[in-house]
Amino acid sequence: MDVVALGASPEAKPTNPKPTKPPGFKPMAGVPHTAVKSAAGTGHSVVVERCQICDAPDLEPVLFLGYLPPVNAMPAIGSRPCEQPAYPAQVLRCPHCSLVQLGLVVDPAILFPPSYPYTSGTTRVLRENFKELSREVASLYPLSTNDLVIDVGSNDGTLLSNFATRGPVLGIEPTNAGKLAIERGIPTYISFFNRSTIRRITAEEGHAKLVTATNVFAHIEDVHEVIESVVELMTPDGIFVTESHYLLPLVRTMQYDTIYHEHLRYYSLRSLVNLFDMHDMDVIHARPIPTHGGSIRVYAAGRGTYPVRDTVRQMLDAEERELTAEKLDDFAKKVAQSKLGLCALLRDIKAKGQRVYGVGAPSRASTLINYVGIDAGVMDCVLEIEGSHKIGKYMPGTLIPVCEESKLFEDQPEYAMLLSWHIAEELMPKLRQRGFRGKFIVPLPEPSIM
Ligand SMILES: [Zn+2]
């Protein structure tokens, strides 16, 4: 699942002006620190004037993908196009702490309206990843049977189910997915992750030896507040494990389509080390993991509590070679080239009067389609598996209808473009097996026909 609304409930009153940074927050040396405007509760968006980690004002532009509609802006098929917002997607890099971030924060109430559909986060890759995480914890930082494990944004409890046989676990989840977790025996506070929830938990359940937060760290506007809240939940020797999209594979494999307004930050390990350092925490272990097309798992703990493993230095070394300002510049040029390459490929297909159907409508497809400028004249429809809430709607910013997947096998279009191209190797044999006879277009990292 791509969304966890943390911090304030949607009904909460606007909280501007934003409170000052929490007590543990220390700006990086030499960087001025001022209060930042918050987008939450504004009903609009706020331009990022200062780095979201270190507060530096001189952010450098990396890439501009134009104005993108919110990925959930999917009107019903047949409705007339009407006014709708689109937000600039500019990517910026901080030369001080190296954080790569979006240049605009949109009010979460716009991105995650109450109607925002709950989609299960329990894909096979995710389930395996969580199992592997619990094995890694057991081997590197063994927990005793009394140690409490808390998952922030615990969804349907899949992650915690791997820790539950060992000892106490607790989920914190604001959506109805938390009820599914409770049904399967995972104790869950159905609540936003804010100070009052934390106070209640520490009073009723005690402190956690391990706190996990997967795929939520890039979505929340005030990341310092999140870390301070996690620290409050933990025992003094507690460990915080977080998983986020990782900038290195994003750049390496041209995953610019993962850039949209739900993802505020694109972390490198360097930027995370700097972030935790501001809260007197060490990153003690880190590794790349395969989820979401390439993510990073980071273990952090209070300064000096655990030795720092070699994995940290190794990953930082790789980043120093591959995530320089020049390499990011190269990346931006390649993004533009890949757009032109995909257009050329599609032009040749359409010149022959052939059909192109899209397969899969993940959030990232919206960025690809809108940035490349694919419309209903180019792509006849996008297909989703039966039961998807996206069926019967238009792709964001277009009049491309989303239809049920069986249409692919009935119509046998000449081409199927894989919009979940990061799992193309997994998808192609499945679609073949089910009877699709046309060719596949894999739009990225190099537009190609398979
Ligand atoms: Zn910075």
Side-chain angles (χ1 to χ4, degrees):
M1 158 153 136
D2 257 341
V3 49
V4 167
L6 299 174
S9 71
E11 306 83 47
K13 291 268 180 301
T15 52
N16 286 334
K18 193 175 156 178
T20 50
K21 295 284 182 221
F25 174 81
K26 291 183 304 187
M28 283 176 82
V31 175
H33 172 228
T34 54
V36 190
K37 270 195 292 182
S38 165
T42 61
H44 297 279
S45 61
V46 167
V47 172
V48 173
E49 307 274 8
R50 311 179 79 96
C51 175
Q52 295 174 54
I53 285 185
C54 78
D55 210 38
D58 47 344
L59 301 174
E60 297 166 349
V62 173
L63 175 70
F64 183 53
L65 294 174
Y67 283 69
L68 301 176
V71 298
N72 62 30
M74 299 182 70
I77 293 175
S79 56
R80 298 284 294 277
C82 59
E83 183 176 304
Q84 70 164 42
Y87 299 98
Q90 185 179 34
V91 180
L92 307 170
R93 178 181 180 274
C94 173
H96 303 277
C97 74
S98 91
L99 178 68
V100 170
Q101 54 205 302
L102 264 193
L104 192 85
V105 179
V106 180
D107 185 347
I110 296 171
L111 298 180
F112 310 117
S115 60
Y116 194 92
Y118 161 67
T119 47
S120 170
T122 54
T123 61
R124 183 181 56 82
V125 175
L126 272 185
R127 277 197 304 272
E128 278 167 15
N129 176 61
F130 292 154
K131 195 167 281 172
E132 190 271 330
L133 166 62
S134 71
R135 282 198 298 262
E136 185 177 71
V137 168
S139 86
L140 297 181
Y141 306 101
L143 298 166
S144 83
T145 50
N146 304 323
D147 289 331
L148 175 62
V149 177
I150 292 181
D151 187 26
V152 178
S154 54
N155 204 311
D156 60 4
T158 305
L159 187 154
L160 285 174
S161 65
N162 294 290
F163 290 96
T165 47
R166 171 220 46 94
V169 298
L170 183 69
I172 306 172
E173 170 61 43
T175 76
N176 281 338
K179 290 182 187 151
L180 295 178
I182 293 169
E183 277 165 25
R184 66 199 280 194
I186 304 295
T188 301
Y189 280 60
I190 299 183
S191 163
F192 287 89
F193 185 56
N194 52 32
R195 293 295 170 115
S196 74
T197 306
I198 291 162
R199 270 194 300 273
R200 218 183 108 205
I201 289 176
T202 50
E204 291 170 9
E205 320 280 343
H207 290 83
K209 177 72 181 286
L210 181 74
V211 176
T212 54
T214 60
N215 202 30
V216 299
F217 221 47
H219 298 70
I220 303 161
E221 193 169 1
D222 189 347
V223 71
H224 291 292
E225 169 74 18
V226 174
I227 294 183
E228 287 300 310
S229 301
V230 166
V231 167
E232 234 178 284
L233 269 182
M234 295 198 304
T235 58
D237 63 345
I239 294 175
F240 177 39
V241 179
T242 171
E243 296 181 356
S244 308
H245 273 108
Y246 186 25
L247 181 64
L248 191 60
L250 188 156
V251 169
R252 244 185 217 159
T253 58
M254 298 292 292
Q255 300 194 56
Y256 75 80
D257 57 339
T258 59
I259 296 167
Y260 46 87
H261 292 92
E262 290 179 19
H263 297 153
L264 300 175
R265 293 170 288 273
Y266 304 84
Y267 291 108
S268 60
L269 180 58
R270 171 52 66 200
S271 62
L272 287 167
V273 166
N274 288 334
L275 170 62
F276 283 111
D277 185 58
M278 295 166 100
H279 296 270
D280 288 326
M281 294 173 84
D282 296 329
V283 170
I284 53 174
H285 175 52
R287 57 175 296 217
I289 52 170
T291 52
H292 307 291
S295 302
I296 181 170
R297 179 186 296 157
V298 161
Y299 290 64
R303 180 155 296 145
T305 316
Y306 298 91
V308 175
R309 290 178 186 268
D310 291 342
T311 50
V312 175
R313 171 49 42 206
Q314 286 156 10
M315 283 185 78
L316 289 176
D317 285 347
E319 289 182 0
E320 259 154 49
R321 290 189 301 273
E322 287 195 57
L323 291 180
T324 58
E326 295 72 37
K327 295 274 180 172
L328 290 175
D329 218 31
D330 269 3
F331 168 67
K333 288 184 186 126
K334 283 189 199 153
V335 168
Q337 282 300 324
S338 86
K339 168 178 179 160
L340 295 173
L342 186 56
C343 287
L345 184 150
L346 291 168
R347 180 198 59 207
D348 293 347
I349 292 171
K350 297 314 281 186
K352 292 180 208 149
Q354 294 175 317
R355 292 161 297 167
V356 178
Y357 286 16
V359 176
S363 296
R364 62 194 297 164
S366 178
T367 297
L368 181 86
I369 282 177
N370 283 283
Y371 172 66
V372 177
I374 295 172
D375 61 25
V378 178
M379 185 172 276
D380 300 79
C381 58
V382 170
L383 306 168
E384 275 272 287
I385 51 167
E386 196 184 346
S388 161
H389 64 270
K390 295 178 181 176
I391 293 171
K393 296 178 178 161
Y394 289 124
M395 289 296 286
T398 74
L399 296 180
I400 304 173
V402 182
C403 306
E404 207 253 295
E405 194 184 39
S406 58
K407 192 171 162 61
L408 181 72
F409 310 108
E410 285 157 19
D411 294 2
Q412 295 291 343
E414 289 79 8
Y415 291 91
M417 193 196 291
L418 301 177
L419 298 170
S420 298
W421 61 273
H422 60 294
I423 50 167
E425 296 301 319
E426 208 177 300
L427 280 176
M428 285 187 290
K430 275 191 196 156
L431 292 168
R432 273 281 176 262
Q433 203 179 22
R434 296 181 53 202
F436 175 60
R437 298 190 295 275
K439 292 179 180 153
F440 291 109
I441 300 171
V442 181
L444 289 167
E446 291 276 329
S448 52
I449 294 174
M450 314 286 262

